[in-house]
Amino acid sequence: MGYHMEMEKKSKTGLAIGIVVAVIVVIAAAVAVFFAGRTFGSKPELRLQAAAAKTLSEMEQYGSSLSEKIDFDALNELWETETIHLNTDVSITFPDGESTNMEFSVDALINESQKRTNCNIGVGMYGFQIPFADVAATSDTLYIALPQFLKDTYHVGLTNLGENFNNSEWAQLLDSTLPDDYSVEFFQENEDAEASADLISVLTKSAAVIKENTTFENVKDTENSRVGVRVCVTKEAVNQYLELLEEDLFESEFYEIYLEELMERAGDASEAARLKEAFDALIEGATGVRFRTDYVLDYYFDQKGRIVNISSPVDMETEDGAVLAMNLSFLGEERVLDVIEGGIYVKHGEKIKYFGMERNAEVTDAFYNEDVTLLIQTDNHNQDMTFSYANDFDKEAMSYDMELMVDIPDGKLVFEADGEFTDIVKGEGYTFRVNNSSLKVDDEELCYLSAVVELDPADEDPEIPKDSVDLLEMSMQDIQKMVYEALASIRKFDYE
Protein backbone atom coordinates (compact mmCIF):
# COMPACT_ATOMS: atom_id res chain seq x y z
CA MET A 1 0.00 0.00 0.00
CA GLY A 2 2.31 2.87 1.26
CA TYR A 3 2.36 5.78 -1.17
CA HIS A 4 0.10 3.90 -3.58
CA MET A 5 -2.74 4.33 -1.12
CA GLU A 6 -2.92 7.98 -2.25
CA MET A 7 -3.92 6.81 -5.70
CA GLU A 8 -6.59 4.62 -4.18
CA LYS A 9 -8.14 6.99 -1.63
CA LYS A 10 -11.20 7.68 -3.77
CA SER A 11 -11.87 4.03 -4.46
CA LYS A 12 -12.09 2.69 -0.93
CA THR A 13 -14.89 2.54 1.62
CA GLY A 14 -15.21 4.52 4.82
CA LEU A 15 -13.86 3.91 8.28
CA ALA A 16 -15.14 5.25 11.58
CA ILE A 17 -13.85 8.76 12.28
CA GLY A 18 -12.97 7.75 15.83
CA ILE A 19 -10.12 5.56 14.56
CA VAL A 20 -8.74 8.48 12.54
CA VAL A 21 -8.85 10.74 15.57
CA ALA A 22 -7.07 8.11 17.66
CA VAL A 23 -4.33 7.65 15.09
CA ILE A 24 -3.80 11.40 14.72
CA VAL A 25 -3.43 11.71 18.48
CA VAL A 26 -0.87 8.89 18.45
CA ILE A 27 1.17 10.54 15.71
CA ALA A 28 0.97 13.99 17.29
CA ALA A 29 2.05 12.64 20.65
CA ALA A 30 4.97 10.65 19.29
CA VAL A 31 6.29 13.50 17.15
CA ALA A 32 5.85 16.01 19.98
CA VAL A 33 7.72 13.76 22.38
CA PHE A 34 10.53 13.26 19.91
CA PHE A 35 11.14 16.93 19.20
CA ALA A 36 10.58 18.02 22.79
CA GLY A 37 12.75 15.52 24.54
CA ARG A 38 15.41 14.04 22.24
CA THR A 39 19.05 14.87 22.83
CA PHE A 40 20.73 14.82 19.44
CA GLY A 41 24.14 13.30 19.12
CA SER A 42 24.78 11.38 15.91
CA LYS A 43 24.88 12.69 12.36
CA PRO A 44 21.33 11.71 11.25
CA GLU A 45 19.89 13.22 14.41
CA LEU A 46 21.83 16.46 13.90
CA ARG A 47 20.62 16.68 10.30
CA LEU A 48 17.01 16.24 11.39
CA GLN A 49 17.43 18.75 14.17
CA ALA A 50 18.87 21.33 11.77
CA ALA A 51 16.12 20.72 9.20
CA ALA A 52 13.42 21.08 11.85
CA ALA A 53 15.00 24.32 13.07
CA LYS A 54 15.03 25.79 9.55
CA THR A 55 11.43 24.83 8.94
CA LEU A 56 10.27 26.22 12.27
CA SER A 57 12.17 29.46 11.73
CA GLU A 58 10.17 30.05 8.55
CA MET A 59 6.99 29.86 10.61
CA GLU A 60 8.01 33.05 12.39
CA GLN A 61 7.40 34.92 9.15
CA TYR A 62 3.69 34.23 9.59
CA GLY A 63 3.77 36.32 12.78
CA SER A 64 0.60 38.36 12.98
CA SER A 65 0.93 42.12 12.46
CA LEU A 66 -2.42 42.29 14.22
CA SER A 67 -0.85 40.98 17.43
CA GLU A 68 2.07 43.38 17.06
CA LYS A 69 -0.19 46.43 16.68
CA ILE A 70 -2.76 45.50 19.31
CA ASP A 71 -0.54 43.64 21.83
CA PHE A 72 -3.02 41.06 23.07
CA ASP A 73 -0.75 40.04 25.96
CA ALA A 74 -0.89 43.57 27.40
CA LEU A 75 -4.64 43.66 26.81
CA ASN A 76 -5.10 40.40 28.69
CA GLU A 77 -3.12 41.77 31.61
CA LEU A 78 -5.24 44.94 31.56
CA TRP A 79 -8.38 42.80 31.46
CA GLU A 80 -7.26 40.91 34.58
CA THR A 81 -6.43 44.02 36.64
CA GLU A 82 -8.57 46.97 35.48
CA THR A 83 -12.17 47.73 34.54
CA ILE A 84 -12.78 47.23 30.83
CA HIS A 85 -15.46 48.93 28.74
CA LEU A 86 -16.89 46.61 26.10
CA ASN A 87 -19.56 47.94 23.75
CA THR A 88 -21.15 45.72 21.10
CA ASP A 89 -23.70 46.65 18.42
CA VAL A 90 -25.08 43.98 16.11
CA SER A 91 -27.56 44.21 13.24
CA ILE A 92 -29.04 41.07 11.66
CA THR A 93 -31.23 41.02 8.55
CA PHE A 94 -33.23 37.97 7.47
CA PRO A 95 -34.07 37.96 3.72
CA ASP A 96 -37.44 36.26 4.23
CA GLY A 97 -39.29 38.26 1.60
CA GLU A 98 -39.78 41.26 3.87
CA SER A 99 -36.11 41.60 4.88
CA THR A 100 -36.77 41.55 8.61
CA ASN A 101 -34.14 43.47 10.55
CA MET A 102 -33.23 42.99 14.21
CA GLU A 103 -30.68 44.89 16.27
CA PHE A 104 -29.24 44.56 19.74
CA SER A 105 -26.51 46.24 21.74
CA VAL A 106 -24.61 45.39 24.92
CA ASP A 107 -22.73 48.18 26.70
CA ALA A 108 -20.75 46.59 29.53
CA LEU A 109 -18.26 47.38 32.26
CA ILE A 110 -16.26 44.34 33.39
CA ASN A 111 -13.81 44.04 36.27
CA GLU A 112 -12.34 40.57 36.58
CA SER A 113 -10.27 41.32 39.68
CA GLN A 114 -13.30 42.67 41.59
CA LYS A 115 -15.53 39.97 40.06
CA ARG A 116 -18.15 42.54 39.13
CA THR A 117 -19.87 43.51 35.91
CA ASN A 118 -22.87 45.47 34.75
CA CYS A 119 -24.28 45.98 31.27
CA ASN A 120 -27.11 47.75 29.50
CA ILE A 121 -28.88 45.76 26.80
CA GLY A 122 -30.80 47.42 24.01
CA VAL A 123 -33.00 45.87 21.32
CA GLY A 124 -34.68 47.28 18.26
CA MET A 125 -35.43 47.11 14.55
CA TYR A 126 -34.47 49.18 11.49
CA GLY A 127 -32.14 51.55 13.29
CA PHE A 128 -34.41 52.22 16.29
CA GLN A 129 -33.44 50.78 19.68
CA ILE A 130 -34.95 50.92 23.15
CA PRO A 131 -33.36 50.04 26.52
CA PHE A 132 -34.42 46.48 27.26
CA ALA A 133 -32.52 45.18 30.29
CA ASP A 134 -29.92 46.15 32.86
CA VAL A 135 -27.88 43.19 34.04
CA ALA A 136 -25.25 43.08 36.78
CA ALA A 137 -23.35 40.24 38.38
CA THR A 138 -20.90 39.37 41.10
CA SER A 139 -19.25 35.98 41.53
CA ASP A 140 -22.31 34.58 43.32
CA THR A 141 -25.32 36.75 42.39
CA LEU A 142 -27.06 37.79 39.18
CA TYR A 143 -29.17 40.97 39.04
CA ILE A 144 -31.74 41.71 36.33
CA ALA A 145 -33.85 44.82 35.73
CA LEU A 146 -36.37 45.37 32.91
CA PRO A 147 -37.06 49.10 33.29
CA GLN A 148 -39.59 49.27 30.46
CA PHE A 149 -41.71 46.53 32.01
CA LEU A 150 -41.04 46.19 35.76
CA LYS A 151 -40.27 48.76 38.45
CA ASP A 152 -38.23 46.43 40.66
CA THR A 153 -34.78 44.91 40.17
CA TYR A 154 -34.54 41.17 40.83
CA HIS A 155 -31.63 38.98 41.87
CA VAL A 156 -30.80 35.26 41.92
CA GLY A 157 -28.18 33.63 44.14
CA LEU A 158 -25.93 31.36 42.10
CA THR A 159 -24.05 29.36 44.74
CA ASN A 160 -26.97 27.10 45.75
CA LEU A 161 -29.05 27.73 42.65
CA GLY A 162 -30.30 24.15 42.19
CA GLU A 163 -31.48 23.65 45.78
CA ASN A 164 -33.04 27.13 46.04
CA PHE A 165 -34.81 26.81 42.70
CA ASN A 166 -36.27 23.42 43.60
CA ASN A 167 -37.61 24.85 46.88
CA SER A 168 -39.13 27.91 45.18
CA GLU A 169 -42.56 28.54 43.71
CA TRP A 170 -40.93 28.74 40.30
CA ALA A 171 -40.21 24.99 40.27
CA GLN A 172 -43.90 24.24 40.72
CA LEU A 173 -44.99 26.94 38.30
CA LEU A 174 -42.63 25.76 35.56
CA ASP A 175 -43.00 22.08 36.49
CA SER A 176 -39.23 21.71 36.41
CA THR A 177 -36.31 20.99 38.73
CA LEU A 178 -32.52 21.29 38.72
CA PRO A 179 -29.91 19.03 40.31
CA ASP A 180 -29.74 20.01 43.99
CA ASP A 181 -26.00 20.70 43.72
CA TYR A 182 -26.38 22.82 40.57
CA SER A 183 -24.56 26.15 40.79
CA VAL A 184 -23.15 28.84 38.53
CA GLU A 185 -19.96 30.80 39.03
CA PHE A 186 -19.15 33.91 37.05
CA PHE A 187 -15.58 35.19 36.70
CA GLN A 188 -13.96 31.78 36.88
CA GLU A 189 -10.23 31.71 36.35
CA ASN A 190 -9.35 31.09 32.73
CA GLU A 191 -8.03 27.56 33.01
CA ASP A 192 -7.66 26.80 29.30
CA ALA A 193 -4.02 27.93 29.19
CA GLU A 194 -3.29 25.94 32.34
CA ALA A 195 -4.97 22.87 30.87
CA SER A 196 -3.05 23.19 27.59
CA ALA A 197 0.27 23.53 29.41
CA ASP A 198 -0.56 20.51 31.56
CA LEU A 199 -1.46 18.48 28.46
CA ILE A 200 1.97 19.17 26.96
CA SER A 201 3.55 18.18 30.26
CA VAL A 202 1.55 14.93 30.27
CA LEU A 203 2.57 14.12 26.69
CA THR A 204 6.24 14.41 27.59
CA LYS A 205 6.04 12.94 31.11
CA SER A 206 6.70 9.36 29.98
CA ALA A 207 8.90 10.33 27.03
CA ALA A 208 11.91 8.44 28.36
CA VAL A 209 10.67 5.15 26.98
CA ILE A 210 10.42 6.76 23.52
CA LYS A 211 13.85 8.40 23.70
CA GLU A 212 15.54 5.21 24.83
CA ASN A 213 14.06 3.14 22.01
CA THR A 214 14.40 5.44 19.00
CA THR A 215 16.94 4.93 16.21
CA PHE A 216 17.95 7.21 13.33
CA GLU A 217 19.45 6.46 9.93
CA ASN A 218 20.13 8.33 6.71
CA VAL A 219 17.86 7.44 3.79
CA LYS A 220 17.64 8.32 0.09
CA ASP A 221 14.60 8.72 -2.14
CA THR A 222 16.12 8.22 -5.59
CA GLU A 223 12.76 8.58 -7.35
CA ASN A 224 12.38 12.15 -6.09
CA SER A 225 16.13 12.88 -5.80
CA ARG A 226 16.14 13.74 -2.14
CA VAL A 227 17.71 12.59 1.09
CA GLY A 228 16.44 12.43 4.63
CA VAL A 229 16.42 10.71 7.98
CA ARG A 230 14.39 7.70 9.05
CA VAL A 231 13.10 7.72 12.63
CA CYS A 232 12.08 4.36 14.09
CA VAL A 233 10.49 3.82 17.50
CA THR A 234 10.03 0.20 18.55
CA LYS A 235 6.45 -1.01 18.83
CA GLU A 236 7.07 -2.06 22.44
CA ALA A 237 8.13 1.48 23.36
CA VAL A 238 5.16 3.08 21.59
CA ASN A 239 2.71 0.72 23.26
CA GLN A 240 4.25 1.25 26.68
CA TYR A 241 4.17 5.02 26.15
CA LEU A 242 0.48 4.93 25.19
CA GLU A 243 -0.34 2.82 28.23
CA LEU A 244 1.43 5.28 30.52
CA LEU A 245 -0.13 8.20 28.68
CA GLU A 246 -3.64 6.94 29.42
CA GLU A 247 -2.84 6.71 33.14
CA ASP A 248 -1.25 10.16 33.14
CA LEU A 249 -4.19 11.74 31.31
CA PHE A 250 -6.79 10.46 33.74
CA GLU A 251 -4.69 11.74 36.66
CA SER A 252 -3.93 15.13 35.07
CA GLU A 253 -5.18 18.65 35.71
CA PHE A 254 -6.09 18.71 32.02
CA TYR A 255 -8.61 15.92 32.63
CA GLU A 256 -10.00 17.56 35.78
CA ILE A 257 -10.41 20.97 34.15
CA TYR A 258 -12.18 19.76 31.02
CA LEU A 259 -14.32 17.27 32.92
CA GLU A 260 -15.45 20.10 35.20
CA GLU A 261 -16.35 22.19 32.15
CA LEU A 262 -18.38 19.29 30.75
CA MET A 263 -20.23 18.84 34.03
CA GLU A 264 -21.16 22.52 34.06
CA ARG A 265 -22.82 22.10 30.66
CA ALA A 266 -24.92 19.15 31.81
CA GLY A 267 -28.57 19.84 32.50
CA ASP A 268 -29.01 16.92 34.90
CA ALA A 269 -27.17 13.97 36.47
CA SER A 270 -27.90 11.59 33.58
CA GLU A 271 -26.51 14.01 31.02
CA ALA A 272 -23.44 14.57 33.20
CA ALA A 273 -22.84 10.82 33.33
CA ARG A 274 -23.25 10.57 29.56
CA LEU A 275 -20.78 13.40 28.90
CA LYS A 276 -18.22 11.90 31.27
CA GLU A 277 -18.58 8.50 29.63
CA ALA A 278 -18.05 10.04 26.18
CA PHE A 279 -15.01 12.02 27.35
CA ASP A 280 -13.47 8.96 28.99
CA ALA A 281 -14.14 6.89 25.87
CA LEU A 282 -12.38 9.50 23.72
CA ILE A 283 -9.24 9.31 25.87
CA GLU A 284 -9.36 5.51 26.05
CA GLY A 285 -9.83 5.29 22.28
CA ALA A 286 -6.99 7.67 21.53
CA THR A 287 -4.55 5.96 23.88
CA GLY A 288 -5.86 2.43 23.41
CA VAL A 289 -4.19 1.92 20.03
CA ARG A 290 -1.51 -0.78 20.20
CA PHE A 291 1.01 -1.28 17.40
CA ARG A 292 1.90 -4.63 15.89
CA THR A 293 4.77 -3.08 13.90
CA ASP A 294 7.39 -0.45 14.72
CA TYR A 295 6.49 3.21 14.39
CA VAL A 296 8.54 4.48 11.41
CA LEU A 297 8.54 7.86 9.66
CA ASP A 298 10.89 9.30 7.02
CA TYR A 299 11.74 13.01 7.07
CA TYR A 300 12.99 14.25 3.67
CA PHE A 301 14.83 17.53 3.02
CA ASP A 302 15.22 19.91 0.09
CA GLN A 303 18.54 21.42 -1.04
CA LYS A 304 18.16 24.17 1.55
CA GLY A 305 17.95 21.58 4.30
CA ARG A 306 14.25 22.15 5.10
CA ILE A 307 11.77 19.35 5.80
CA VAL A 308 9.64 18.93 2.68
CA ASN A 309 8.02 15.55 3.29
CA ILE A 310 7.06 13.30 6.20
CA SER A 311 5.95 9.83 5.17
CA SER A 312 5.77 6.25 6.32
CA PRO A 313 8.08 4.03 4.23
CA VAL A 314 5.94 0.99 5.04
CA ASP A 315 2.45 0.65 6.41
CA MET A 316 2.17 0.50 10.18
CA GLU A 317 -0.20 -2.06 11.66
CA THR A 318 -2.16 -2.05 14.91
CA GLU A 319 -3.18 -5.06 16.96
CA ASP A 320 -6.86 -4.59 16.12
CA GLY A 321 -6.12 -5.06 12.41
CA ALA A 322 -5.96 -1.44 11.28
CA VAL A 323 -3.27 -0.29 8.84
CA LEU A 324 -1.84 3.23 8.94
CA ALA A 325 0.07 5.21 6.33
CA MET A 326 1.11 8.86 6.24
CA ASN A 327 2.31 11.13 3.45
CA LEU A 328 2.52 14.88 4.14
CA SER A 329 4.37 17.23 1.78
CA PHE A 330 5.50 20.84 2.27
CA LEU A 331 5.79 22.31 -1.22
CA GLY A 332 6.15 26.07 -0.82
CA GLU A 333 9.09 27.73 -2.59
CA GLU A 334 9.79 30.79 -0.46
CA ARG A 335 8.57 29.05 2.71
CA VAL A 336 7.94 25.33 2.54
CA LEU A 337 4.85 25.64 4.75
CA ASP A 338 3.18 28.00 2.26
CA VAL A 339 1.89 24.92 0.46
CA ILE A 340 0.92 21.77 2.36
CA GLU A 341 -0.63 18.68 0.83
CA GLY A 342 -1.26 15.18 2.11
CA GLY A 343 -2.54 13.40 5.14
CA ILE A 344 -3.15 10.14 6.92
CA TYR A 345 -4.74 6.96 5.65
CA VAL A 346 -6.30 4.35 7.90
CA LYS A 347 -7.50 1.00 6.55
CA HIS A 348 -9.53 -1.51 8.52
CA GLY A 349 -10.58 -4.59 6.61
CA GLU A 350 -11.83 -3.38 3.26
CA LYS A 351 -12.67 0.08 4.55
CA ILE A 352 -10.43 3.12 4.34
CA LYS A 353 -10.68 6.70 5.46
CA TYR A 354 -8.43 9.57 4.48
CA PHE A 355 -7.79 12.55 6.74
CA GLY A 356 -6.12 15.22 4.65
CA MET A 357 -4.91 18.79 4.77
CA GLU A 358 -4.41 21.37 2.02
CA ARG A 359 -2.90 24.78 2.67
CA ASN A 360 -1.88 27.69 0.46
CA ALA A 361 -0.47 30.83 2.04
CA GLU A 362 1.43 33.94 1.03
CA VAL A 363 2.86 36.63 3.26
CA THR A 364 4.55 39.97 2.54
CA ASP A 365 5.03 43.22 4.43
CA ALA A 366 1.64 44.38 3.09
CA PHE A 367 -0.63 41.34 3.30
CA TYR A 368 -1.15 37.80 4.58
CA ASN A 369 -3.32 35.42 2.59
CA GLU A 370 -4.20 31.95 3.79
CA ASP A 371 -6.45 29.17 2.52
CA VAL A 372 -6.69 25.96 4.60
CA THR A 373 -8.86 22.91 3.93
CA LEU A 374 -9.26 19.82 6.11
CA LEU A 375 -10.72 16.73 4.47
CA ILE A 376 -12.24 13.49 5.66
CA GLN A 377 -12.92 11.31 2.62
CA THR A 378 -14.41 7.92 1.84
CA ASP A 379 -14.55 6.08 -1.46
CA ASN A 380 -18.27 6.58 -2.12
CA HIS A 381 -18.14 10.13 -0.70
CA ASN A 382 -21.49 9.81 1.08
CA GLN A 383 -19.78 10.52 4.42
CA ASP A 384 -17.21 13.06 3.20
CA MET A 385 -16.54 16.12 5.35
CA THR A 386 -14.77 19.32 4.36
CA PHE A 387 -13.78 22.19 6.66
CA SER A 388 -12.15 25.24 5.10
CA TYR A 389 -10.93 28.67 6.12
CA ALA A 390 -9.73 31.45 3.83
CA ASN A 391 -8.66 34.97 4.75
CA ASP A 392 -7.05 37.89 2.95
CA PHE A 393 -5.60 40.24 5.56
CA ASP A 394 -4.31 43.69 4.60
CA LYS A 395 -1.62 44.59 7.14
CA GLU A 396 -1.63 48.30 6.28
CA ALA A 397 -5.41 48.83 6.34
CA MET A 398 -5.85 46.23 9.12
CA SER A 399 -8.74 44.82 7.11
CA TYR A 400 -9.84 41.25 6.46
CA ASP A 401 -11.96 39.35 3.96
CA MET A 402 -12.68 35.84 5.15
CA GLU A 403 -14.76 32.72 4.52
CA LEU A 404 -15.52 29.73 6.73
CA MET A 405 -17.10 26.64 5.21
CA VAL A 406 -18.35 23.40 6.72
CA ASP A 407 -19.62 20.75 4.32
CA ILE A 408 -20.87 17.58 6.01
CA PRO A 409 -23.46 14.95 5.02
CA ASP A 410 -26.17 16.81 6.95
CA GLY A 411 -25.65 20.01 4.99
CA LYS A 412 -23.35 22.83 3.97
CA LEU A 413 -22.74 26.03 5.90
CA VAL A 414 -20.81 29.03 4.57
CA PHE A 415 -20.01 32.20 6.54
CA GLU A 416 -18.45 35.15 4.71
CA ALA A 417 -17.37 38.44 6.27
CA ASP A 418 -15.24 41.50 5.65
CA GLY A 419 -14.26 44.34 7.93
CA GLU A 420 -11.34 45.94 9.73
CA PHE A 421 -9.72 46.90 13.00
CA THR A 422 -9.75 50.62 13.77
CA ASP A 423 -9.04 52.99 16.68
CA ILE A 424 -6.15 50.82 17.82
CA VAL A 425 -4.31 51.93 20.96
CA LYS A 426 -1.59 49.37 21.53
CA GLY A 427 -2.06 47.44 24.73
CA GLU A 428 -5.27 49.31 25.63
CA GLY A 429 -8.03 48.81 23.10
CA TYR A 430 -9.40 48.73 19.57
CA THR A 431 -12.59 48.67 17.52
CA PHE A 432 -13.45 45.55 15.55
CA ARG A 433 -15.86 46.00 12.65
CA VAL A 434 -17.83 43.49 10.61
CA ASN A 435 -19.00 45.57 7.67
CA ASN A 436 -20.69 42.88 5.63
CA SER A 437 -21.26 39.24 6.39
CA SER A 438 -23.63 36.53 5.31
CA LEU A 439 -24.56 33.04 6.47
CA LYS A 440 -25.64 30.47 3.89
CA VAL A 441 -27.11 27.08 4.64
CA ASP A 442 -27.23 24.68 1.69
CA ASP A 443 -26.52 27.61 -0.67
CA GLU A 444 -29.53 29.55 0.63
CA GLU A 445 -29.00 32.94 2.29
CA LEU A 446 -30.09 32.65 5.91
CA CYS A 447 -29.10 36.09 7.19
CA TYR A 448 -26.83 39.10 6.81
CA LEU A 449 -24.95 40.65 9.72
CA SER A 450 -22.95 43.73 10.59
CA ALA A 451 -21.32 44.46 13.93
CA VAL A 452 -19.10 46.88 15.83
CA VAL A 453 -17.20 45.83 18.94
CA GLU A 454 -15.35 48.50 20.92
CA LEU A 455 -12.92 47.65 23.72
CA ASP A 456 -11.07 50.19 25.86
CA PRO A 457 -10.17 50.95 29.50
CA ALA A 458 -13.04 52.35 31.59
CA ASP A 459 -12.91 55.40 33.85
CA GLU A 460 -15.55 53.97 36.21
CA ASP A 461 -16.22 50.68 38.00
CA PRO A 462 -19.25 48.41 37.53
CA GLU A 463 -22.24 49.29 39.72
CA ILE A 464 -24.15 46.58 41.59
CA PRO A 465 -27.79 47.34 42.56
CA LYS A 466 -28.27 48.04 46.25
CA ASP A 467 -32.00 47.25 46.40
CA SER A 468 -33.41 44.15 44.72
CA VAL A 469 -35.97 41.38 45.16
CA ASP A 470 -34.85 37.76 45.59
CA LEU A 471 -36.52 36.01 42.66
CA LEU A 472 -36.48 32.57 44.28
CA GLU A 473 -38.07 33.75 47.54
CA MET A 474 -41.11 35.23 45.83
CA SER A 475 -44.51 33.84 46.77
CA MET A 476 -46.99 32.76 44.12
CA GLN A 477 -48.88 36.00 44.76
CA ASP A 478 -45.69 38.02 44.21
CA ILE A 479 -45.07 36.20 40.94
CA GLN A 480 -48.62 36.89 39.76
CA LYS A 481 -48.25 40.59 40.56
CA MET A 482 -44.98 40.72 38.61
CA VAL A 483 -46.60 39.04 35.59
CA TYR A 484 -49.59 41.43 35.65
CA GLU A 485 -47.25 44.42 35.87
CA ALA A 486 -45.28 43.18 32.84
CA LEU A 487 -48.47 42.54 30.83
CA ALA A 488 -49.78 46.02 31.63
CA SER A 489 -46.51 47.54 30.40
CA ILE A 490 -46.70 45.53 27.17
CA ARG A 491 -50.30 46.69 26.55
CA LYS A 492 -49.14 50.25 27.12
CA PHE A 493 -46.54 49.81 24.37
CA ASP A 494 -49.25 48.46 22.06
CA TYR A 495 -51.43 51.52 22.63
CA GLU A 496 -48.55 53.88 21.99
Side-chain angles (χ1 to χ4, degrees), residues 227-239:
V227 296
V229 170
R230 176 165 298 171
V231 179
C232 176
V233 186
T234 65
K235 60 185 179 183
E236 292 82 6
V238 174
N239 292 340

Side-chain angles (χ1 to χ4, degrees), residues 370-374 387-392 402-405:
E370 183 175 26
D371 190 338
V372 179
T373 301
L374 300 178
F387 309 87
S388 69
Y389 163 77
N391 188 18
D392 295 332
M402 61 168 288
E403 177 186 284
L404 291 171
M405 189 272 290

Side-chain angles (χ1 to χ4, degrees), residues 39-75:
T39 301
F40 298 90
S42 64
K43 186 177 180 181
E45 296 159 284
L46 289 173
R47 294 178 65 204
L48 181 56
Q49 182 187 38
K54 289 181 180 179
T55 305
L56 292 173
S57 69
E58 291 187 350
M59 293 181 62
E60 297 177 0
Q61 298 180 40
Y62 300 119
S64 172
S65 60
L66 180 61
S67 298
E68 294 173 1
K69 290 189 177 182
I70 292 180
D71 194 346
F72 289 107
D73 290 338
L75 263 180

Side-chain angles (χ1 to χ4, degrees), residues 1 5-6 8-24 322-326 342-356 375-387 409:
M1 195 164 53
M5 292 180 65
E6 186 169 4
E8 302 171 3
K9 71 180 180 184
K10 295 182 179 180
S11 63
K12 302 292 183 180
T13 54
L15 178 65
I17 187 173
I19 297 177
V20 176
V21 173
V23 170
I24 292 168
V323 177
L324 162 69
M326 177 179 181
I344 301 168
Y345 308 81
V346 182
K347 183 178 180 182
H348 202 280
E350 295 301 318
K351 298 180 179 180
I352 189 170
K353 185 166 288 259
Y354 170 71
F355 183 95
L375 306 166
I376 300 174
Q377 294 182 339
T378 60
D379 65 335
N380 56 18
H381 297 290
N382 61 358
Q383 293 296 318
D384 282 6
M385 301 183 189
T386 303
F387 309 87

Side-chain angles (χ1 to χ4, degrees), residues 3 17 41 62 67 90 94 199 208 219 229 231 288-289 298 363 366 416 449-451 458 468 496:
Y3 299 138
I17 187 173
Y62 300 119
S67 298
V90 178
F94 299 92
L199 177 59
V219 292
V229 170
V231 179
V289 177
D298 288 348
V363 58
E416 299 176 318
L449 178 146
S450 62
S468 59
E496 293 177 351

Side-chain angles (χ1 to χ4, degrees), residues 260-280:
E260 182 179 350
E261 291 183 2
L262 286 175
M263 297 303 97
E264 290 174 354
R265 300 174 193 172
D268 52 39
S270 62
E271 184 180 4
R274 181 181 59 80
L275 290 173
K276 181 180 184 303
E277 182 179 357
F279 185 42
D280 289 352

